[in-house]
Amino acid sequence: MAKERVLIVVKTYPTLSKKYTELVCTAGFREDGSWIRIYPSPFRFLIDTQRYHKYQWIELDLVKNSKDPRPESYSPANIDDIQLGETIGTEHGWAYRKQLILDHNIVHTNRDTIIAGAKAMEYSLAIFKPTEVQDFIIEKADDEWEIGKLEAAKAALDQGSLFDESNNDNFKIMPKLPFKFSYKFIDDAGVESTLMIEDWEIGQLYWNCLKGSAPEQATLKVRAKYLDDFARTKDLHFFLGTTRQWHSIAPNPYVIIGTFHPPVTDQLSLL
């Protein structure tokens, strides 16, 4: 089986799993620019030398995930054989990142188009550029994981998950985010949407902002980064993905699984 090279651009905040203890949705682009989702991905069970970063090339064997009908979903054939490669930096206004990602893909601007693409099973991952970001919404959520899911995840850990590694004995389940964060925006037809942001970075930003701050102050710092910085001063794009559970039945099955926010640059200045 030939190895695939994948440029990782998405890592979602961990969710609990009764089979794998904890899962992270990972997605990225092949060398030809096509999307690929690596699911299941036991990111925090990987040994240090296999833990990949965003915008890093990795090599691994992948097989189509027969239990996930979404067209881009593949599973690691051998999770112990991930090889890490070059990390793509932000030099020259993210020029190389934009070349690898934006130049090889459709940048969608219409909500109905991407929903139709998902319903037709043409794709479940998309790059989307909002016409206008209207707001950043913060909602209180439960402070703790649902007890049934937590007990099932702990049981999977005790039994040795399918991704059993040497760090299992010291493994601690990721704390649940006590807030939900969403972007409210309009598309090129003026249609309004509100989509939840589920990437790892927003969760980690909240925990970092919480150090020395009250929860409400921490959320305001997150809002400042995602609204005042990303949405107001950067060339903001969304990485969108459907959830396996809601892909076929939700009116809009997408969530924001990552942001792509290069600086606004004058193209002539890069020549």
Side-chain angles (χ1 to χ4, degrees):
M1 186 182 300
K3 287 185 178 293
E4 293 244 39
R5 286 190 81 217
V6 178
L7 179 65
I8 299 298
V9 300
V10 166
K11 288 191 297 185
T12 61
Y13 195 80
T15 57
L16 299 188
S17 167
K18 64 181 180 181
K19 185 175 183 180
Y20 302 113
T21 299
E22 185 184 279
L23 288 175
V24 173
C25 177
T26 299
F29 298 97
R30 298 182 178 92
E31 289 182 286
D32 65 1
S34 60
W35 272 108
I36 188 167
R37 176 188 289 107
I38 303 173
Y39 183 86
S41 175
F43 177 76
R44 293 208 306 134
F45 284 93
L46 297 176
I47 59 176
D48 290 344
T49 56
Q50 293 177 326
R51 285 196 179 186
Y52 42 83
H53 300 285
K54 287 182 66 173
Y55 302 104
Q56 183 172 25
W57 286 102
I58 67 171
E59 287 191 17
L60 73 168
D61 291 333
L62 292 167
V63 295
K64 186 67 181 75
N65 188 329
S66 60
K67 297 181 179 180
D68 187 343
R70 294 174 296 177
E72 303 94 342
S73 295
Y74 285 73
S75 299
N78 181 2
I79 203 65
D80 297 322
D81 193 25
I82 295 177
Q83 298 178 12
L84 305 185
E86 174 190 9
T87 298
I88 307 303
T90 59
E91 297 83 3
H92 307 296
W94 292 38
Y96 194 23
R97 289 185 181 183
K98 289 193 287 186
Q99 177 185 339
L100 290 169
I101 296 170
L102 300 183
D103 290 358
H104 291 86
N105 285 278
I106 297 173
V107 177
H108 294 275
T109 57
N110 184 271
R111 187 196 68 171
D112 290 346
T113 297
I114 62 170
I115 292 176
K119 298 300 183 182
M121 296 302 287
E122 295 173 359
Y123 50 83
S124 63
L125 295 165
I127 303 172
F128 188 91
K129 183 169 176 57
T131 299
E132 179 187 350
V133 173
Q134 298 174 305
D135 202 359
F136 180 83
I137 299 172
I138 303 167
E139 300 174 279
K140 188 69 178 72
D142 293 336
D143 291 336
E144 303 292 340
W145 295 109
E146 182 183 322
I147 188 64
K149 292 182 179 180
L150 182 60
E151 290 177 349
K154 288 181 176 178
L157 183 64
D158 292 340
Q159 294 168 9
S161 75
L162 297 184
F163 303 120
D164 196 5
E165 292 290 352
S166 59
N167 65 346
N168 270 24
D169 291 340
N170 299 317
F171 186 85
K172 295 185 183 299
I173 290 175
M174 199 77 164
K176 183 180 179 300
L177 284 174
F179 293 92
K180 296 179 181 179
F181 303 107
S182 303
Y183 271 127
K184 180 180 177 182
F185 59 95
I186 59 174
D187 71 354
D188 61 2
V191 176
E192 183 179 284
S193 299
T194 300
L195 294 183
M196 187 173 171
I197 307 167
E198 296 193 355
D199 70 340
W200 188 307
E201 287 186 349
I202 200 167
Q204 193 57 55
L205 176 62
Y206 170 76
W207 295 123
N208 289 340
C209 292
L210 188 62
K211 297 174 183 177
S213 299
E216 291 73 17
Q217 293 174 318
T219 62
L220 292 179
K221 293 177 182 178
V222 174
R223 176 185 171 87
K225 173 58 69 174
Y226 274 75
L227 185 63
D228 300 336
D229 185 6
F230 292 172
R232 302 291 186 242
T233 71
K234 300 295 186 355
D235 185 18
L236 178 64
H237 298 67
F238 301 150
F239 292 137
L240 300 183
T242 67
T243 62
R244 179 181 172 187
Q245 178 182 5
W246 299 106
H247 179 95
S248 299
I249 59 177
N252 186 346
Y254 288 97
V255 295
I256 299 171
I257 55 177
T259 59
F260 187 73
H261 43 267
V264 177
T265 57
D266 181 354
Q267 292 299 316
L268 293 177
S269 68
L270 301 179
L271 299 179

